[in-house]
Structures are given as structure tokens and as C-alpha cells.
Amino acid sequence: MKSVSVTLVLLSLILSSFFLQYATADSSTTYAPKGVCDSKCGVRCLNAGVKDRCLKYCGLCCQQCKCVPSGTYGNKSECPCYRDKLNSKGKSKCP
């Protein structure tokens, strides 16, 4: 009987933490679907020297900005959010 009650308590803690995560999520922040970003960043980073790094940062920028400029270089005016993201050194964060 004791093991059943311990199991129920643990199960209720797990379920309550799961629902709490959804209740406290910031609904004002929306992100682009990962598949969309993967395909657009694949094109954007096609000619990159360090492709894995390009894909990583392009993916982060795409998720937050919901857009990726066309082509493999430049055209950042198409997506101002993507263009204006800066790293800690003041350089463009997005490839």
C-alpha cells in the first residue's frame, strides 16, 4: 500500500510540473517552425566556409525573427530583425 501511495505522489508531481510549464510559458513570444528555418538556412549557408556555425546562428536568428534573407550572402534589408541582431562584439550575429 505504501508503494502505491508513493507512486501516486510522484506521478502527480510529474504531471503538475508538466502543466505548470505550459501555464507559465510566455505566449507573446512566437517562433517560426523549425522545418522552415532549416530549409531557408540550408540555402543561406550553402557556400559558407564554416557551414555548421552558419546553420546554427542562422537557425537562431530565423527562430526569433521569423525570416531569413534570400540568397547566400547579403540581402539583409529584406529582414530588418535579422540584419539588426548583434553579437557581444557589436558585429552581425546572423550570417
Side-chain angles (χ1 to χ4, degrees):
M1 186 69 174
K2 187 176 181 179
S3 64
V4 172
S5 61
V6 170
T7 304
L8 287 175
V9 168
L10 288 174
L11 184 59
S12 67
L13 285 172
I14 291 170
L15 287 175
S16 64
S17 68
F18 176 74
F19 290 117
L20 182 63
Q21 180 181 8
Y22 281 108
T24 59
D26 183 8
S27 61
S28 65
T29 305
T30 57
Y31 294 99
K34 188 168 176 19
V36 172
C37 290
D38 289 345
S39 63
K40 287 184 176 185
C41 289
V43 172
R44 183 79 178 168
C45 297
L46 193 63
N47 298 331
V50 186
K51 193 169 187 173
D52 59 336
R53 188 181 310 162
C54 179
L55 289 170
K56 175 185 175 183
Y57 288 109
C58 178
L60 290 171
C61 294
C62 175
Q63 287 280 314
Q64 294 171 359
C65 296
K66 300 179 216 123
C67 64
V68 174
S70 61
T72 57
Y73 184 78
N75 302 325
K76 288 188 177 182
S77 60
E78 295 175 359
C79 184
C81 171
Y82 193 95
R83 176 193 63 212
D84 297 338
K85 287 207 166 294
L86 301 176
N87 63 17
S88 60
K89 297 177 182 174
K91 294 188 178 189
S92 180
K93 180 177 185 173
C94 307

